[in-house]
Amino acid sequence: MDESLHAIEVEAGHPLRLGMHETGGTFHFSVVSRHATGISLLLFDRGNREPTHVVELNPEQHRTGDVWHIGLKGQLHGKGYAIWVQGPSDPNEPRDLGPGQFLLDPYAAAILNRHGYDHNPDPANPFAINLVVDHAFDWEGVRRPRQAWRNLIIYETHVRGFTQDPASNVDHPGQYLGLVEKIPYLRELGITAVELLPVQEFRDYERWRPGVGWGSALRNYWGYNPVAFFAPKAGYASNADPRAAIIEFKTMVRELHRAGIEVILDVVFNHTPEGDETGPTISLRGLDASTYYLLTPDKKHYVDVTGCGNTLNCNHPIVRTLIIDCLRSWVVHFHIDGFRFDLASVLTRGQDGAMLHKPPLLEQMAEDPVLRDVKLIAEPWDAGGAFQVGSFPGRRWAESNSRYRDDVRRFWRGDAGMTGAFATRLSGSAALYQNAGKSPLNSINFVTCHDGFTLNDLVSYAHKHNQANGEDNRDGSAENFSENNGIEGPSDDPLIETVRLRQIKNMLVTLFVSRGVPMLLGGDEFRRSQAGNNNAYCQDNEISWYDWSLTERHAGLVRFVSRLIAFRKAHRVLGIGEFYTDQEISWFGGEGRAPEWQGRENRIGCVIGESGQEAANERLCLLFNATPAPCRFALPETATPWRMAVDTSKPSPGDIAEPGEEALFPDPGIVTVSPRSTIILVAG
């Protein structure tokens, strides 16, 4: 033990709670490492690379099983700490434990010098320090909104990109507090939940990449490269003090909750930036690579089903505990309402990498008492070939429904034979979920998301344009089901612009009248563009930032989306968490004919009305025409006349009526839907 341990009293500590935490004036620290032969805890003053204290943990006193633990009496709030691991040269580990390597605590709530793992000139020895934090915060009595699934209108956005552009006109651009300044906009739009791209502290730069190695300096804009699962991103705070990130993140959550808006975090538990056996040692690798990662049978290489060099061993009991503890921390300390799990199929893989029928991690998440009412959303695939849309284990899980995305895009593009698939998606994707005892609310419906084209680019580009990413346009999906409607990229041709705007409205209408949970990509409501880049993960610039001047240029579309969301909320039948019965929906084709489910022409109509004693006496008629020619539909008879609610062929404000101000439809028998347009009629 170092003689400099004045003013700090060392105790045995206890192993029952991992990480650093204070109890009764004692700071307890514990960490799991099966193969370590020695561990030291180093304490630092802020701004100092030399430790003020070095505490060696005695295995006889400070180790219980595989848990190393210690208690420290003294004032540690605001001090930094790091882990120093000693271990044998183990042939069963793809990398020695690395004597002298400073490691991040897997449970770190904040990082004192976050640039240490980005800018250190020695990639094999990054220098970063954990911060001892206090989670005290005044929530001012604001409670979680506890929105029902059927009431969710999700807005996916990026904390920095949302307000970084000068046109955002906020006092805190690119920050948690900048998002707070835009809450009135979100409320006016009708949003009830924001889904934030990763805010778990991540590496700012992609310095190591599979197949490339060191030297790439691409910006890690999206944030899918976490170094500290428990810590909010310090770079989104107003100053460099990592405590500011905790306070300002909580402030953002509190104010969103005050506005009735839930907060869903996009979380990454499938890989870390430590990469494969050639990558840096930052935390988990230095503690126990074979515990935390999936390894090849010879234990010399990392299994990679994430495309990022390694795969977390998620169903190992130690890693399961880490993940559950992390989710609990975000719920308890930060009042988070839900989580969207990146590459969630990794969570269903066993310790041999094979898919599990009943993954213990998913069962534990679903049944954990702290997480019992938290929303769980899976991205149900990974880079290793798993694709579980409609079959992700567990009824409690909602899924990002990529089949919805593709079928809606293909229908409106005019691909032949898509009418039946389109009707299925509109009705809640029963073929995917009903037989498994799930409901439409298990489907997160989306047409666009961060990963791919924006909605504007979907109708403006036939091909991806990712040259700015530095990979010769090889990255990003080549199968986008997009079209440019006459010319690749921006156009000032009024005819092209008319068709593009109409197609944007068609897909937005489809999204908000479909059963399931709608998710809107932030900025689609004002035609945000990424210049045809469908994989802007490294573009921390104008390509990704929201140009808020577009809200004025496309004010009519913003109004359209706001009224469209209000329309969904006003008509309960659209958000019911059950599949339609034959009494609730009837389908018909053009010219009074039966639907042509596999026909070449994508056009379909339906009448929707609730059944049962509590049903409101109202009906909706939805008419979709994805063909380049007008289509006549014969309207079903109603006890009350039809009124025009939406016509995407009309310019604003005639494209959507104010609630309760729908004009009487003049011809009760026939309606003509313009080319590539949607009409919604209401009766009752």
Side-chain angles (χ1 to χ4, degrees):
M1 186 180 302
D2 192 282
E3 294 182 357
S4 64
L5 280 175
H6 57 279
I8 292 182
E9 180 181 342
V10 178
E11 299 179 352
H14 57 76
L16 295 182
R17 184 176 171 188
L18 297 173
M20 177 77 76
H21 60 280
E22 181 185 10
T23 303
T26 298
F27 289 84
H28 292 273
F29 171 77
S30 60
V31 66
V32 175
S33 183
R34 176 167 299 173
H35 298 110
T37 59
I39 287 184
S40 297
L41 183 66
L42 291 71
L43 302 179
F44 297 82
D45 287 333
R46 297 188 62 181
N48 192 346
R49 290 178 61 93
E50 296 299 323
T52 59
H53 302 79
V54 178
V55 188
E56 296 181 8
L57 278 63
N58 183 337
E60 298 297 323
Q61 182 183 13
H62 299 124
R63 182 171 186 175
T64 302
D66 292 331
V67 181
W68 299 74
H69 50 83
I70 195 168
L72 300 174
K73 279 187 174 293
Q75 181 50 255
L76 298 188
H77 279 307
K79 289 186 73 69
Y81 70 98
I83 308 167
W84 190 355
V85 173
Q86 292 179 311
S89 179
D90 189 343
N92 292 322
E93 294 283 313
R95 169 76 64 83
D96 292 345
L97 292 181
Q101 172 70 60
F102 289 178
L103 301 178
L104 289 176
D105 178 6
Y107 282 69
I111 297 178
L112 187 58
N113 60 331
R114 64 188 181 88
H115 295 297
Y117 48 82
D118 276 320
H119 303 291
N120 193 310
D122 180 6
N125 186 29
F127 183 87
I129 302 173
N130 316 277
L131 180 71
V132 182
V133 301
D134 181 357
H135 271 292
F137 180 75
D138 184 4
W139 290 95
E140 300 180 358
V142 176
R143 310 295 294 178
R144 288 169 51 193
R146 301 186 185 278
Q147 296 278 4
W149 276 102
R150 66 179 302 273
N151 295 330
L152 283 191
I153 308 293
I154 301 175
Y155 189 89
E156 187 194 38
T157 191
H158 186 285
V159 171
R160 176 171 166 82
F162 193 51
T163 61
Q164 181 61 29
D165 191 278
S168 67
N169 196 30
V170 298
D171 293 330
H172 299 88
Q175 301 172 13
Y176 300 121
L177 298 181
L179 195 150
V180 171
E181 295 179 69
K182 289 295 186 181
I183 288 176
Y185 171 84
L186 295 172
R187 289 193 65 184
E188 177 65 24
L189 200 60
I191 301 304
T192 61
V194 292
E195 182 175 301
L196 302 179
L197 266 67
V199 296
Q200 295 168 303
E201 186 64 76
F202 57 83
R203 294 191 71 166
D204 285 338
Y205 290 91
E206 301 281 357
R207 294 192 56 190
W208 181 95
R209 302 173 68 201
V212 177
W214 293 95
S216 174
L218 294 174
R219 187 83 176 182
N220 181 22
Y221 172 69
W222 281 353
Y224 290 95
N225 219 359
V227 294
F229 297 115
F230 292 71
K233 180 65 177 173
Y236 299 157
S238 61
N239 61 69
D241 186 340
R243 291 172 296 186
I246 293 175
I247 294 170
E248 293 175 16
F249 182 90
K250 291 180 178 181
T251 300
M252 176 191 70
V253 174
R254 182 187 66 198
E255 297 311 307
L256 284 164
H257 284 177
R258 198 192 303 274
I261 300 173
E262 292 195 339
V263 180
I264 299 170
L265 298 187
D266 192 337
V267 290
V268 184
F269 293 111
N270 56 75
H271 78 281
T272 76
E274 292 186 309
D276 63 16
E277 58 275 8
T278 68
T281 297
I282 299 173
S283 178
L284 303 181
R285 186 206 307 281
L287 293 170
D288 271 319
S290 59
T291 295
Y292 287 101
Y293 295 109
L294 296 180
L295 302 179
T296 56
D298 62 6
K299 305 295 183 182
K300 294 182 179 179
H301 303 283
Y302 288 76
V303 173
D304 181 12
V305 297
T306 65
C308 299
N310 60 54
T311 304
L312 279 179
N313 189 5
C314 293
N315 281 289
H316 187 289
I318 299 301
V319 186
R320 290 207 313 264
T321 298
L322 172 69
I323 293 173
I324 295 296
D325 287 349
C326 182
L327 297 176
R328 284 179 165 186
S329 176
W330 285 103
V331 170
V332 172
H333 293 308
F334 297 99
H335 294 197
I336 294 304
D337 304 283
F339 302 94
R340 179 265 192 191
F341 294 82
D342 177 60
L343 297 184
S345 289
V346 170
L347 309 182
T348 72
R349 293 183 181 270
Q351 296 185 52
D352 60 356
M355 308 296 292
L356 299 175
H357 176 59
K358 292 184 177 180
L361 174 58
L362 299 193
E363 182 179 14
Q364 190 171 351
M365 283 184 190
E367 298 300 329
D368 184 86
V370 175
L371 307 177
R372 195 66 186 93
D373 62 348
V374 170
K375 295 176 173 67
L376 303 176
I377 301 171
E379 182 183 43
W381 53 80
D382 62 29
F387 184 77
Q388 297 175 290
V389 174
S391 61
F392 198 80
R395 295 185 181 182
R396 188 176 163 199
W397 285 80
E399 302 174 6
S400 298
N401 189 348
S402 61
R403 294 194 184 277
Y404 179 96
R405 172 199 65 199
D406 294 346
D407 289 346
V408 169
R409 289 182 178 190
R410 294 185 64 195
F411 175 87
W412 283 112
R413 191 173 67 169
D415 293 10
M418 294 304 301
T419 301
F422 178 81
T424 296
R425 303 298 163 233
L426 195 77
S427 303
S429 298
L432 290 176
Y433 301 110
Q434 193 166 30
N435 289 340
K438 298 181 180 181
S439 82
L441 299 180
N442 289 99
S443 175
I444 304 297
N445 297 334
F446 67 103
V447 179
T448 56
C449 68
H450 72 278
D451 190 2
F453 280 140
T454 66
L455 191 52
N456 178 80
D457 291 357
L458 187 68
V459 301
S460 303
Y461 294 89
H463 309 285
K464 61 179 179 174
H465 296 269
N466 298 353
Q467 289 82 359
N469 297 351
E471 299 182 46
D472 296 325
N473 207 34
R474 294 188 303 270
D475 63 309
S477 174
E479 192 173 58
N480 298 287
F481 306 118
S482 64
E483 60 180 340
N484 61 27
N485 291 290
I487 188 173
E488 192 76 355
S491 172
D492 56 7
D493 186 323
L495 295 179
I496 292 176
E497 277 297 285
T498 295
V499 175
R500 288 178 176 177
L501 180 58
R502 190 176 297 185
Q503 286 288 73
I504 288 172
K505 291 179 182 178
N506 288 332
M507 286 184 271
L508 288 169
V509 170
T510 303
L511 177 65
F512 287 109
V513 300
S514 296
R515 280 199 173 173
V517 179
M519 186 184 79
L520 177 69
L521 173 62
D524 275 354
E525 73 278 11
F526 51 78
R527 297 188 65 175
R528 181 173 72 90
S529 173
Q530 293 179 169
N533 192 320
N534 75 346
N535 189 35
Y537 73 98
C538 57
Q539 300 300 326
D540 186 10
N541 50 47
E542 290 83 357
I543 291 176
S544 297
W545 300 344
Y546 290 35
D547 179 359
W548 285 89
S549 69
L550 294 174
T551 59
E552 299 178 4
R553 180 178 175 184
H554 299 294
L557 183 59
V558 176
R559 172 191 175 274
F560 181 83
V561 174
S562 174
R563 300 304 183 271
L564 192 54
I565 292 174
F567 182 87
R568 178 183 176 88
K569 293 178 179 179
H571 296 279
R572 179 178 179 272
V573 66
L574 298 175
I576 291 177
E578 303 293 339
F579 295 105
Y580 286 111
T581 65
D582 292 340
Q583 291 72 40
E584 293 172 332
I585 191 168
S586 59
W587 299 94
F588 50 90
E591 304 292 347
R593 294 190 293 265
E596 298 181 38
W597 300 118
Q598 306 299 326
R600 293 189 57 81
E601 302 291 334
N602 292 340
R603 51 192 182 189
I604 188 69
C606 66
V607 171
I608 300 171
E610 291 184 69
S611 62
Q613 295 181 350
E614 298 182 0
N617 185 25
E618 68 172 13
R619 302 170 79 192
L620 302 178
C621 180
L622 313 179
L623 305 172
F624 305 96
N625 177 21
T627 73
C631 180
R632 288 162 49 93
F633 288 94
L635 294 179
E637 294 184 0
T638 59
T640 55
W642 291 111
R643 297 179 179 274
M644 181 71 73
V646 176
D647 185 346
T648 62
S649 71
K650 303 295 185 185
S652 180
D655 49 5
I656 187 167
E658 296 289 342
E661 298 182 9
E662 299 88 355
L664 186 67
F665 189 68
D667 188 341
I670 298 292
V671 60
T672 299
V673 182
S674 298
R676 308 186 85 176
S677 297
T678 303
I679 282 180
I680 298 180
L681 304 173
V682 297

PDB file of all heavy atoms in Angstrom, residues 664-677:
ATOM      1  N   LEU A 664     -67.852  18.636 -46.691  1.00  0.00           N
ATOM      2  CA  LEU A 664     -68.760  17.606 -47.195  1.00  0.00           C
ATOM      3  C   LEU A 664     -68.324  17.181 -48.588  1.00  0.00           C
ATOM      4  O   LEU A 664     -68.068  18.019 -49.465  1.00  0.00           O
ATOM      5  CB  LEU A 664     -70.188  18.145 -47.233  1.00  0.00           C
ATOM      6  CG  LEU A 664     -71.288  17.148 -47.598  1.00  0.00           C
ATOM      7  CD1 LEU A 664     -71.428  16.091 -46.505  1.00  0.00           C
ATOM      8  CD2 LEU A 664     -72.612  17.886 -47.811  1.00  0.00           C
ATOM      9  N   PHE A 665     -68.191  15.865 -48.812  1.00  0.00           N
ATOM     10  CA  PHE A 665     -67.774  15.374 -50.115  1.00  0.00           C
ATOM     11  C   PHE A 665     -68.963  15.452 -51.070  1.00  0.00           C
ATOM     12  O   PHE A 665     -70.045  14.930 -50.771  1.00  0.00           O
ATOM     13  CB  PHE A 665     -67.265  13.932 -50.005  1.00  0.00           C
ATOM     14  CG  PHE A 665     -66.617  13.434 -51.260  1.00  0.00           C
ATOM     15  CD1 PHE A 665     -65.415  13.966 -51.695  1.00  0.00           C
ATOM     16  CD2 PHE A 665     -67.223  12.464 -52.032  1.00  0.00           C
ATOM     17  CE1 PHE A 665     -64.816  13.528 -52.857  1.00  0.00           C
ATOM     18  CE2 PHE A 665     -66.632  12.014 -53.196  1.00  0.00           C
ATOM     19  CZ  PHE A 665     -65.427  12.551 -53.611  1.00  0.00           C
ATOM     20  N   PRO A 666     -68.804  16.088 -52.229  1.00  0.00           N
ATOM     21  CA  PRO A 666     -69.962  16.395 -53.080  1.00  0.00           C
ATOM     22  C   PRO A 666     -70.614  15.178 -53.723  1.00  0.00           C
ATOM     23  O   PRO A 666     -71.830  15.163 -53.913  1.00  0.00           O
ATOM     24  CB  PRO A 666     -69.369  17.321 -54.153  1.00  0.00           C
ATOM     25  CG  PRO A 666     -67.910  16.995 -54.177  1.00  0.00           C
ATOM     26  CD  PRO A 666     -67.554  16.637 -52.780  1.00  0.00           C
ATOM     27  N   ASP A 667     -69.849  14.155 -54.081  1.00  0.00           N
ATOM     28  CA  ASP A 667     -70.415  12.993 -54.773  1.00  0.00           C
ATOM     29  C   ASP A 667     -70.408  11.803 -53.831  1.00  0.00           C
ATOM     30  O   ASP A 667     -69.351  11.250 -53.524  1.00  0.00           O
ATOM     31  CB  ASP A 667     -69.593  12.678 -56.025  1.00  0.00           C
ATOM     32  CG  ASP A 667     -70.258  11.604 -56.885  1.00  0.00           C
ATOM     33  OD1 ASP A 667     -71.116  10.878 -56.356  1.00  0.00           O
ATOM     34  OD2 ASP A 667     -69.903  11.494 -58.066  1.00  0.00           O
ATOM     35  N   PRO A 668     -71.566  11.387 -53.340  1.00  0.00           N
ATOM     36  CA  PRO A 668     -71.597  10.290 -52.366  1.00  0.00           C
ATOM     37  C   PRO A 668     -71.309   8.926 -52.966  1.00  0.00           C
ATOM     38  O   PRO A 668     -71.168   7.951 -52.235  1.00  0.00           O
ATOM     39  CB  PRO A 668     -73.033  10.356 -51.843  1.00  0.00           C
ATOM     40  CG  PRO A 668     -73.827  10.906 -52.986  1.00  0.00           C
ATOM     41  CD  PRO A 668     -72.921  11.876 -53.669  1.00  0.00           C
ATOM     42  N   GLY A 669     -71.215   8.834 -54.293  1.00  0.00           N
ATOM     43  CA  GLY A 669     -71.068   7.512 -54.898  1.00  0.00           C
ATOM     44  C   GLY A 669     -69.704   7.214 -55.461  1.00  0.00           C
ATOM     45  O   GLY A 669     -69.215   6.086 -55.383  1.00  0.00           O
ATOM     46  N   ILE A 670     -69.036   8.209 -56.040  1.00  0.00           N
ATOM     47  CA  ILE A 670     -67.771   7.983 -56.740  1.00  0.00           C
ATOM     48  C   ILE A 670     -66.737   9.017 -56.293  1.00  0.00           C
ATOM     49  O   ILE A 670     -67.053  10.194 -56.130  1.00  0.00           O
ATOM     50  CB  ILE A 670     -67.945   8.072 -58.271  1.00  0.00           C
ATOM     51  CG1 ILE A 670     -68.902   6.985 -58.758  1.00  0.00           C
ATOM     52  CG2 ILE A 670     -66.600   7.958 -58.980  1.00  0.00           C
ATOM     53  CD1 ILE A 670     -68.344   5.584 -58.631  1.00  0.00           C
ATOM     54  N   VAL A 671     -65.503   8.574 -56.122  1.00  0.00           N
ATOM     55  CA  VAL A 671     -64.402   9.490 -55.850  1.00  0.00           C
ATOM     56  C   VAL A 671     -63.245   9.126 -56.779  1.00  0.00           C
ATOM     57  O   VAL A 671     -62.941   7.944 -56.974  1.00  0.00           O
ATOM     58  CB  VAL A 671     -63.952   9.444 -54.376  1.00  0.00           C
ATOM     59  CG1 VAL A 671     -63.489   8.059 -53.979  1.00  0.00           C
ATOM     60  CG2 VAL A 671     -62.844  10.473 -54.117  1.00  0.00           C
ATOM     61  N   THR A 672     -62.643  10.141 -57.348  1.00  0.00           N
ATOM     62  CA  THR A 672     -61.486   9.929 -58.211  1.00  0.00           C
ATOM     63  C   THR A 672     -60.230  10.338 -57.460  1.00  0.00           C
ATOM     64  O   THR A 672     -60.105  11.486 -57.018  1.00  0.00           O
ATOM     65  CB  THR A 672     -61.605  10.741 -59.509  1.00  0.00           C
ATOM     66  OG1 THR A 672     -62.770  10.314 -60.224  1.00  0.00           O
ATOM     67  CG2 THR A 672     -60.374  10.526 -60.390  1.00  0.00           C
ATOM     68  N   VAL A 673     -59.307   9.398 -57.317  1.00  0.00           N
ATOM     69  CA  VAL A 673     -58.041   9.660 -56.636  1.00  0.00           C
ATOM     70  C   VAL A 673     -56.993   9.964 -57.690  1.00  0.00           C
ATOM     71  O   VAL A 673     -56.782   9.180 -58.622  1.00  0.00           O
ATOM     72  CB  VAL A 673     -57.617   8.453 -55.773  1.00  0.00           C
ATOM     73  CG1 VAL A 673     -56.312   8.769 -55.043  1.00  0.00           C
ATOM     74  CG2 VAL A 673     -58.710   8.101 -54.770  1.00  0.00           C
ATOM     75  N   SER A 674     -56.348  11.102 -57.555  1.00  0.00           N
ATOM     76  CA  SER A 674     -55.348  11.540 -58.527  1.00  0.00           C
ATOM     77  C   SER A 674     -54.170  10.566 -58.564  1.00  0.00           C
ATOM     78  O   SER A 674     -53.978   9.762 -57.647  1.00  0.00           O
ATOM     79  CB  SER A 674     -54.849  12.943 -58.175  1.00  0.00           C
ATOM     80  OG  SER A 674     -55.905  13.878 -58.230  1.00  0.00           O
ATOM     81  N   PRO A 675     -53.367  10.634 -59.625  1.00  0.00           N
ATOM     82  CA  PRO A 675     -52.202   9.752 -59.711  1.00  0.00           C
ATOM     83  C   PRO A 675     -51.299   9.891 -58.487  1.00  0.00           C
ATOM     84  O   PRO A 675     -51.052  10.995 -58.008  1.00  0.00           O
ATOM     85  CB  PRO A 675     -51.489  10.225 -60.981  1.00  0.00           C
ATOM     86  CG  PRO A 675     -52.564  10.849 -61.809  1.00  0.00           C
ATOM     87  CD  PRO A 675     -53.505  11.491 -60.826  1.00  0.00           C
ATOM     88  N   ARG A 676     -50.859   8.757 -57.983  1.00  0.00           N
ATOM     89  CA  ARG A 676     -49.922   8.687 -56.860  1.00  0.00           C
ATOM     90  C   ARG A 676     -50.395   9.582 -55.710  1.00  0.00           C
ATOM     91  O   ARG A 676     -49.688  10.495 -55.264  1.00  0.00           O
ATOM     92  CB  ARG A 676     -48.510   9.056 -57.327  1.00  0.00           C
ATOM     93  CG  ARG A 676     -48.052   8.262 -58.535  1.00  0.00           C
ATOM     94  CD  ARG A 676     -46.623   8.500 -58.924  1.00  0.00           C
ATOM     95  NE  ARG A 676     -45.717   7.654 -58.150  1.00  0.00           N
ATOM     96  CZ  ARG A 676     -44.398   7.596 -58.331  1.00  0.00           C
ATOM     97  NH1 ARG A 676     -43.834   8.352 -59.255  1.00  0.00           N
ATOM     98  NH2 ARG A 676     -43.644   6.808 -57.606  1.00  0.00           N
ATOM     99  N   SER A 677     -51.568   9.286 -55.232  1.00  0.00           N
ATOM    100  CA  SER A 677     -52.181  10.116 -54.197  1.00  0.00           C
ATOM    101  C   SER A 677     -52.959   9.255 -53.207  1.00  0.00           C
ATOM    102  O   SER A 677     -53.270   8.095 -53.465  1.00  0.00           O
ATOM    103  CB  SER A 677     -53.133  11.150 -54.811  1.00  0.00           C
ATOM    104  OG  SER A 677     -52.453  12.051 -55.648  1.00  0.00           O
TER     105      SER A 677
END
